[in-house]
Amino acid sequence: MSNRYARQILFYGIGEAGQKTLREKSAAIVGCGALGCTSANLLVRSGLGYLKIIDRDFIEESNLQRQSLFDEEDINKNLPKAIAAQKKLEKINPHVRIKAFVTDLNPSNINNTLRDADVIIDGTDNFETRFLLNDFCVKNCIPWIYGACIGSIGMTMNIIPSKTPCLRCVLEDIPPFGTTETCDTAGIIAPIASLIASIQAAEALKILTGNFDVLSKGLLKIDLWRNEIKKLHIEDIREKSDCVTCKQHHYEFLSKDRYSMTTALCGRNAVQILQREMANIDFTKLAERLNKVGEVSFNNFILRLKIDKYELAVFPDGRSIISGTNDVSVARGIYAKYIGS
Ligand SMILES: [Zn+2]
């Protein structure tokens, strides 16, 4: 084995055997924002076999303060986050197979996207995707690592199906839209995201190398501004509860009807619109048509149209993100007017 992993092999918890096991394993990171960038960086450097990165968004200037895989050039090139992350990570460690998915994880595509992962890392910013992940992972017996940050506070918890409480044991349902603070309403400092993602990456390394006995138990909550670290011991809530997901085995978030085709994106002043049928949009033709109504730019991954105070980003499968509004009906109207219904 090359010198690349020498220090990690020296570490008593990994060794030659652990490194070899790691090489045969795969992980998936869902959401490549502040958490996803850091955990992807750490895992790719550690030398796992295969990493999937799933993200639905493109990079904006306000991301650069904390999303450590991106730079100004990525913004100028209009790259989706998953693609920019893949390009950066391939330069860091070309021995790891990396696949980028520029998509919204939903009940229709989650099985094909995630079924062969040995561990899934939560880098999302919303509960709809987390509940979907939780149902999928409990059903398919895949460990996943919850992570969330806001302000200077971060939380993380390992979910090992049928062994530890699942997300639904802790939280019965998705908090209504607008009731939870987001990075865009309360702000965030980069170090808390970096810290939580580092913990997630360490827990993933333990899972991938089979060191289940040293996994962190319970829900860890850290406030870096007030210097508080709390461990909430919730290990026994699964025994006491009659959890819909992990006790009753009803996976309602995997049902297509439950998933919204139009979603206001968490505090981002933007709305995502999905298509029921996968399209294959010809950007050259669409750009010709839209050039008459506004400022258009496109590459292989994304077409953007600026019009009045709105900006439309269209992806090849017909999915779209409309920035400049949180109102789903306004966004739907703009989409129907310029892209088609
Ligand atoms: Zn549960």
Side-chain angles (χ1 to χ4, degrees), residues 165-169 238 241 243 245-247:
C166 79
L167 184 63
R168 222 145 174 214
C169 295
R238 184 168 182 270
S241 85
C243 175
T245 306
C246 70
K247 286 288 188 69

Side-chain angles (χ1 to χ4, degrees), residues 286-288 290-292 294-298 303-306:
L286 182 62
E288 267 172 34
L290 294 177
N291 261 327
K292 294 163 202 148
E295 192 187 327
V296 183
S297 62
F298 69 96
L303 177 143
R304 294 172 84 163
L305 166 70
K306 278 187 190 155

Side-chain angles (χ1 to χ4, degrees), residues 97-295:
R97 196 173 141 219
I98 298 164
K99 189 165 178 187
F101 296 79
V102 184
T103 190
D104 178 70
L105 199 67
N106 60 55
S108 317
N109 62 17
I110 191 166
N111 196 46
N112 277 341
T113 314
L114 296 181
R115 69 178 164 211
D116 52 358
D118 295 304
V119 65
I120 297 171
I121 297 170
D122 173 17
T124 68
D125 58 0
N126 69 89
F127 278 104
E128 191 167 25
T129 314
R130 287 190 185 111
F131 275 75
L132 175 71
L133 268 183
N134 188 62
D135 271 13
F136 176 80
C137 288
V138 172
K139 185 179 178 195
N140 295 284
C141 230
I142 300 173
W144 75 281
I145 307 171
Y146 162 77
C149 292
I150 191 77
S152 61
I153 300 170
M155 287 191 284
T156 179
M157 179 173 84
N158 293 323
I159 290 148
I160 313 296
S162 79
K163 295 206 166 62
T164 72
C166 79
L167 184 63
R168 222 145 174 214
C169 295
V170 183
L171 201 64
E172 273 178 23
D173 212 337
I174 297 179
F177 183 74
T179 57
T180 49
E181 289 216 279
T182 71
C183 290
D184 305 80
T185 56
I188 181 167
I189 53 167
I192 187 62
S194 184
L195 178 61
I196 293 295
S198 294
I199 295 170
Q200 288 180 297
E203 296 303 303
L205 279 180
K206 295 176 195 174
I207 291 169
L208 294 173
T209 55
N211 286 293
F212 286 87
D213 53 326
V214 285
L215 281 174
S216 166
K217 294 184 180 71
L219 178 72
L220 181 65
K221 187 177 179 192
I222 301 175
D223 185 335
L224 276 184
W225 208 252
R226 296 192 171 87
N227 310 305
E228 289 166 1
I229 300 179
K230 277 186 206 149
K231 190 68 159 292
L232 305 176
H233 290 282
I234 51 165
E235 291 91 323
D236 59 346
I237 61 168
R238 184 168 182 270
E239 277 80 72
K240 290 179 191 156
S241 85
D242 186 29
C243 175
V244 180
T245 306
C246 70
K247 286 288 188 69
Q248 299 177 30
H249 301 283
H250 290 312
Y251 305 111
E252 52 187 308
F253 291 91
L254 290 174
S255 129
K256 293 186 177 80
D257 304 336
R258 174 103 200 211
Y259 202 77
S260 8
M261 298 306 285
T262 311
T263 321
L265 298 179
C266 158
R268 179 134 142 26
N269 199 28
V271 174
Q272 170 182 261
I273 298 178
L274 297 180
Q275 293 304 301
R276 289 222 178 261
E277 303 292 325
M278 286 277 280
N280 192 3
I281 295 184
D282 183 334
F283 281 167
T284 314
K285 280 191 187 150
L286 182 62
E288 267 172 34
R289 183 156 67 80
L290 294 177
N291 261 327
K292 294 163 202 148
V293 293
E295 192 187 327

